[in-house]
């Protein structure tokens, strides 16, 4: 039986993913800071929590899952990269078509590439004592690396990996099981109140600290939480302070992610529970729709930023509803839930 709490968390997060991608070009389209603040707020926790949940449900010896994810990745890399090339007028058979370069994940597909790599290496990494700390130390050191080719989404693979391992560590200790036990309703409520208090406090603290910064600080701090650049670009004024800045980022993201998860209800929420169940569908297909939206809709088509944000959130919600609708799921299932069990059957036959 599926756990509604985990599905609800993933459902809310995947909605934030769609909203965040719709919001990207809007940040510079208005003079006020509201779009920048919302964008920064989302990226402090939504991908770290998504990745922690992936680590929480990771199980070793799942080579079929790795094969399946790789096949899904290649298919959607070709489809989505070619769709981008089409919208930009790039010939589909051109070397400039990102869909033909499977070693360089197109846009949001970095996450799928990262999951594949993490699934392969994690059984070996977890053999180390204190593996989370080793991964964190390696990530902080990797920040000095100026690699920017995008091959294998290496920067994000390395820098986000500690969150995956934290989720795996929590799973090994059954840390997030309190929503599964109805007799502990009172304790669950205490967790919710505590989570709401921590989440609100950090959010207000972040908002207060950013209000004293220059306008372009939102852009730079947002990139810190997205792990986009090396230290020399992310903190050019003092590169050697990079590890300390990123350590703060890891701490804030971890606290925001866990406290946000505690706020989400554990009962079934029809839209979000279903969205969580089919979160991979939304993650893959929404890119197609967002690229189309950006190609044909101006970045600032509303007179005020707050109205634009409301409209974009509604658009994101509609996109999620369309993708998780039963007809869409049936149509997309052959491209998302690819059956690779024949690989196992062939191996058994040869044995």
């Amino acid at each position: 039986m599926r756990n509604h709490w985990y599905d609800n968390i993933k459902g809310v997060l995947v909605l934030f993913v769609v909203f965040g991608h719709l919001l990207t070009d809007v940040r510079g389209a208005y003079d006020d800071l509201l779009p920048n603040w919302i964008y920064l707020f989302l990226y402090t926790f939504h991908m770290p929590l998504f990745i922690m949940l992936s680590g929480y449900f990771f199980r070793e010896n799942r080579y079929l899952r790795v094969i399946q994810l790789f096949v899904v990745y290649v298919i959607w890399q070709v489809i989505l990269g070619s769709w981008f090339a089409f919208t930009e007028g790039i010939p589909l058979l051109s070397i400039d078509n990102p869909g033909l370069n499977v070693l360089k994940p197109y846009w949001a597909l970095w996450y799928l590439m990262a999951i594949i790599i993490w699934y392969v290496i994690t059984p070996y990494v977890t053999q180390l004592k204190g593996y989370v700390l080793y991964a964190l130390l390696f990530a902080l050191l990797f920040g000095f690396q100026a690699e920017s080719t995008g091959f294998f989404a290496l920067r994000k693979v390395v820098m986000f990996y500690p969150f995956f391992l934290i989720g795996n560590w929590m799973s090994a200790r059954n840390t997030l099981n309190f929503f599964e036990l109805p007799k502990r309703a009172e304790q669950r409520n205490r967790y919710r109140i505590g989570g709401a208090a921590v989440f609100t406090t950090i959010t207000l603290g972040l908002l207060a600290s950013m209000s004293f910064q220059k306008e372009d600080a939102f852009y730079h701090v947002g990139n810190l939480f997205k792990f986009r650049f090396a230290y020399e670009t992310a903190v050019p004024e003092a590169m050697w302070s990079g590890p300390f800045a990123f350590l703060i980022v890891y701490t804030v993201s971890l606290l925001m992610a866990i406290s946000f998860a505690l706020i989400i209800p554990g009962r079934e929420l029809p839209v979000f529970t279903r969205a969580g169940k089919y979160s991979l569908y939304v993650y893959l297909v929404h890119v197609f729709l967002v690229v189309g939206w950006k190609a044909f809709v101006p970045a600032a088509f509303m007179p005020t930023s707050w109205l634009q944000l409301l409209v974009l959130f509604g658009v994101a919600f509609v996109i999620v509803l369309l993708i998780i609708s039963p007809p869409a799921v049936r149509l997309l299932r052959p491209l998302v839930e690819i059956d690779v069990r024949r690989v196992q059957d062939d191996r058994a036959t040869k044995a």
Side-chain angles (χ1 to χ4, degrees):
M1 181 178 178
R2 295 184 67 93
N3 185 300
H4 295 320
W5 183 52
Y6 299 127
D7 280 337
N8 290 342
I9 295 172
K10 290 192 294 182
V12 174
L13 292 178
V14 82
L15 173 61
F16 286 165
V17 168
V18 180
F19 181 48
H21 285 158
L22 285 170
L23 192 58
T24 303
D25 295 339
V26 177
R27 290 181 294 164
Y30 294 92
D31 293 332
D32 61 292
L33 296 178
L34 183 60
N36 287 283
W37 163 244
I38 297 297
Y39 190 82
L40 172 61
F41 169 74
L42 291 177
Y43 277 89
T44 57
F45 70 92
H46 83 294
M47 284 311 299
L49 180 52
F50 225 131
I51 292 167
M52 286 170 62
L53 286 179
S54 297
Y56 190 83
F57 290 108
F58 168 74
R59 296 295 181 269
E60 295 184 12
N61 300 322
R62 299 184 65 183
Y63 70 93
L64 280 182
R65 181 59 172 163
V66 172
I67 295 173
Q68 182 192 42
L69 287 175
F70 182 74
V71 173
V72 170
Y73 164 76
V74 171
I75 289 174
W76 285 93
Q77 172 78 0
V78 173
I79 293 174
L80 295 173
S82 298
W83 167 242
F84 170 79
F86 173 76
T87 60
E88 294 294 317
I90 299 173
L92 296 183
L93 297 181
S94 168
I95 193 173
D96 296 323
N97 178 1
L100 301 183
N101 189 351
V102 296
L103 299 182
K104 190 174 182 179
Y106 170 67
W107 199 11
L109 291 179
W110 71 264
Y111 179 64
L112 205 53
M113 172 65 79
I115 289 292
I116 294 168
I117 295 174
W118 294 338
Y119 270 38
V120 172
I121 68 174
T122 296
Y124 305 100
V125 173
T126 52
Q127 298 298 314
L128 301 172
K129 206 168 186 179
Y131 56 88
V132 175
L133 294 179
Y134 280 118
L136 178 61
L137 178 61
F138 183 73
L140 293 175
L141 291 175
F142 190 83
F144 290 105
Q145 168 60 251
E147 174 273 333
S148 59
T149 61
F151 283 103
F152 298 104
L154 188 58
R155 183 167 303 284
K156 290 183 180 292
V157 168
V158 173
M159 303 302 285
F160 277 109
Y161 190 39
F163 294 115
F164 185 88
L165 291 178
I166 289 171
N168 179 259
W169 180 87
M170 296 174 104
S171 177
R173 286 151 185 80
N174 208 17
T175 305
L176 295 178
N177 70 337
F178 47 86
F179 277 104
E180 301 175 17
L181 306 175
K183 63 181 179 180
R184 298 171 64 184
E186 183 179 342
Q187 185 173 359
R188 291 202 302 272
N189 290 333
R190 287 201 297 268
Y191 278 122
R192 282 198 181 98
I193 294 172
V198 172
F199 188 78
T200 303
T201 300
I202 298 177
T203 300
L204 293 177
L206 187 63
L207 177 61
S209 65
M210 292 303 297
S211 65
F212 296 103
Q213 304 295 324
K214 296 180 180 179
E215 185 174 342
D216 62 351
F218 280 92
Y219 176 79
H220 293 298
V221 176
N223 283 331
L224 285 177
F225 281 96
K226 293 171 69 176
F227 299 109
R228 286 190 64 189
F229 303 115
Y231 295 147
E232 64 179 10
T233 302
V235 283
E237 65 282 355
M239 186 177 74
W240 290 99
S241 68
F244 301 101
F246 275 51
L247 191 58
I248 294 173
V249 166
Y250 280 115
T251 303
V252 171
S253 291
L254 181 62
L255 292 175
M256 288 280 281
I258 294 176
S259 59
F260 180 79
L262 296 177
I263 300 172
I264 303 299
R267 67 181 182 279
E268 183 175 6
L269 303 174
V271 173
F272 293 110
T273 304
R274 183 173 176 83
K277 181 179 179 180
Y278 295 109
S279 58
L280 182 58
Y281 286 71
V282 179
Y283 202 92
L284 292 171
V285 180
H286 89 278
V287 178
F288 184 90
L289 300 175
V290 169
V291 169
W293 174 274
K294 291 185 177 185
F296 301 109
V297 180
F301 64 93
M302 300 300 294
T304 60
S305 63
W306 65 267
L307 190 57
Q308 172 95 329
L309 292 173
L310 288 177
V311 172
L312 288 182
F313 190 81
V315 171
F317 194 79
V318 170
I319 287 176
V320 172
L321 285 178
L322 288 174
I323 296 173
I324 66 173
S325 65
V329 170
R330 285 195 297 269
L331 179 66
L332 294 167
R333 182 171 283 121
L335 295 175
V336 179
E337 299 183 34
I338 298 172
D339 187 4
V340 294
R341 286 175 295 181
R342 277 180 282 183
V343 175
Q344 187 177 34
D345 294 339
D346 291 342
R347 287 183 56 171
T349 301
K350 292 178 181 178

